[in-house]
């Protein structure tokens, strides 16, 4: 900054008028205030303005110092889940200056280097000397990102036959988040990394996906996916017996079929044909 000062005050002696120098007498001035000084050693003297040969060395080696440059480490965590706004910026290991610090990422200064609950965006990270607030250093420009929202495709097959319990739910084409996924069909009670669920009973299933890296990031894909089963197969059976020995005019008639999926086939030999 080169804003050091040397002030010579309360001069006495001589004939009452004075001149001063901080460069060993190379130049003199009537004021005892020297400003905008760079770091270094200064030979501070005064003299009697009426008798310039009357010189007094006040300090032959007065040192003006400067602090070390401000520095710190900057780290970040990106947003865990789309819309969460939980990004962080952490400023640690500050050094330089006069030992007390304040920090800013664009929303005012604070004494803590921890910034939380950040939205996506670009942040200019600064540090300043708390004792000399005009001393500011830009540490970094940090971009906080958020992942895309979690999505996937959900499909199902219903139970094929009453009581079979062979329904399925399939979750495919996962996207968003940080690229690794887990799935649940019971509202999050249990999770698996496989998107195929088989041997399902009829019922309503709460289908979810979550980011495997950030398990708190959960999206409900279908809150009530219904696996159904058909009604039990039924029909009315009637017969007519053979009318005469050796005849082959008996009949079996199956009527009023119900249940299943609405299309029927019939057998009277136990399913052989």
């Amino acid at each position: 900054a080169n804003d050091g000062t040397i002030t010579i005050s309360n001069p006495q002696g001589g004939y009452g008028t004075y001149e001063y120098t901080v460069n060993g007498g190379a130049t003199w001035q009537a004021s005892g205030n020297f400003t905008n000084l760079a770091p270094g050693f200064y030979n501070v003297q005064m003299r009697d303005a009426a008798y310039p040969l009357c010189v007094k060395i006040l300090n032959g080696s007065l040192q003006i110092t400067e602090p070390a440059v401000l520095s710190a480490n900057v780290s970040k965590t990106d947003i865990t889940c789309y819309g969460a706004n939980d990004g962080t910026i952490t400023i640690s290991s500050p050094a330089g200056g006069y030992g007390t610090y304040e920090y800013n990422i664009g929303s005012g200064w604070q004494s803590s280097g921890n910034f939380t609950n950040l939205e996506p965006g670009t942040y200019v990270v600064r540090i300043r000397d708390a004792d000399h607030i005009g001393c500011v250093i830009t540490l970094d420009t940090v971009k906080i990102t958020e992942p895309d929202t979690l999505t996937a495709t959900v499909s199902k097959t219903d139970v094929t036959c009453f009581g079979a319990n062979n329904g399925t739910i399939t979750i495919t084409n996962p996207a968003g988040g940080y690229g690794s996924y887990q799935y649940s069909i019971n509202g999050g009670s249990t999770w698996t990394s496989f998107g195929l669920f088989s041997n399902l009973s009829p019922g309503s299933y709460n289908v979810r996906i979550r980011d495997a890296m950030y398990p708190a990031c959960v999206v409900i894909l279908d809150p009530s996916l219904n696996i159904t089963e058909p009604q039990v197969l039924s029909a009315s059976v009637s017969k007519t017996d053979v009318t005469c020995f050796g005849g082959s005019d008996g009949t079996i008639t199956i009527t009023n079929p119900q249940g299943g999926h609405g299309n029927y086939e019939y057998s009277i030999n136990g399913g052989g044909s």
Side-chain angles (χ1 to χ4, degrees):
N2 295 340
D3 59 354
T5 67
I6 293 175
T7 302
I8 306 168
S9 59
N10 195 30
Q12 296 180 21
Y15 284 88
T17 56
Y18 310 99
E19 291 180 327
Y20 311 94
T21 181
V22 294
N23 57 16
T27 57
W28 295 87
Q29 65 181 46
S31 169
N33 298 317
F34 295 84
T35 59
N36 301 319
L37 301 180
F41 290 91
Y42 292 85
N43 185 334
V44 183
Q45 303 181 15
M46 68 181 296
R47 71 182 180 183
D48 191 320
Y51 295 95
L53 294 179
C54 185
V55 176
K56 173 68 173 181
I57 298 174
L58 299 172
N59 190 323
S61 185
L62 178 62
Q63 186 178 14
I64 296 288
T65 64
E66 70 177 347
V69 65
L70 293 172
S71 65
N73 296 326
V74 179
S75 61
K76 70 160 185 172
T77 60
D78 288 317
I79 292 169
T80 58
C81 188
Y82 180 83
N85 295 342
D86 59 355
T88 69
I89 293 175
T90 303
I91 307 167
S92 59
S93 303
Y98 286 88
T100 56
Y101 309 97
E102 293 178 326
Y103 311 94
N104 183 299
I105 61 170
S107 56
W109 293 92
Q110 65 181 48
S111 59
S112 169
N114 299 316
F115 296 85
T116 59
N117 301 320
L118 301 181
E119 300 177 357
T122 299
Y123 296 84
V124 179
V125 183
R126 296 184 173 94
I127 184 174
R128 75 180 180 185
D129 192 318
D131 286 339
H132 299 279
I133 59 175
C135 187
V136 179
I137 292 290
T138 298
L139 297 170
D140 201 354
T141 299
V142 174
K143 186 176 183 180
I144 297 290
T145 63
E146 71 177 347
D148 293 332
T149 187
L150 293 171
T151 61
T153 302
V154 180
S155 60
K156 70 163 184 171
T157 61
D158 290 319
V159 174
T160 57
C161 188
F162 182 85
N165 295 341
N166 61 353
T168 68
I169 293 174
T170 304
I171 306 169
T172 57
N173 302 318
Y178 286 90
S180 56
Y181 309 100
Q182 293 177 325
Y183 312 97
S184 173
I185 59 170
N186 57 13
S189 295
T190 58
W191 294 88
T192 176
S193 57
F194 300 101
L196 175 60
F197 299 84
S198 56
N199 301 319
L200 300 181
S201 303
S204 181
Y205 293 85
N206 185 323
V207 183
R208 302 184 178 197
I209 183 174
R210 74 180 181 184
D211 192 318
M213 287 184 62
Y214 296 98
C217 184
V218 178
V219 166
I220 299 173
L221 298 172
D222 192 322
S224 185
L225 180 61
N226 196 26
I227 296 287
T228 64
E229 70 178 346
Q231 293 296 315
V232 63
L233 291 171
S234 65
S236 299
V237 179
S238 63
K239 71 167 182 170
T240 61
D241 291 324
V242 175
T243 57
C244 185
F245 180 84
S248 16
D249 58 352
T251 67
I252 295 175
T253 304
I254 307 169
T255 59
N256 193 31
Q258 295 181 17
H261 292 274
N263 298 314
Y264 306 102
E265 293 178 325
Y266 310 94
S267 172
I268 59 170
N269 61 6
S273 61

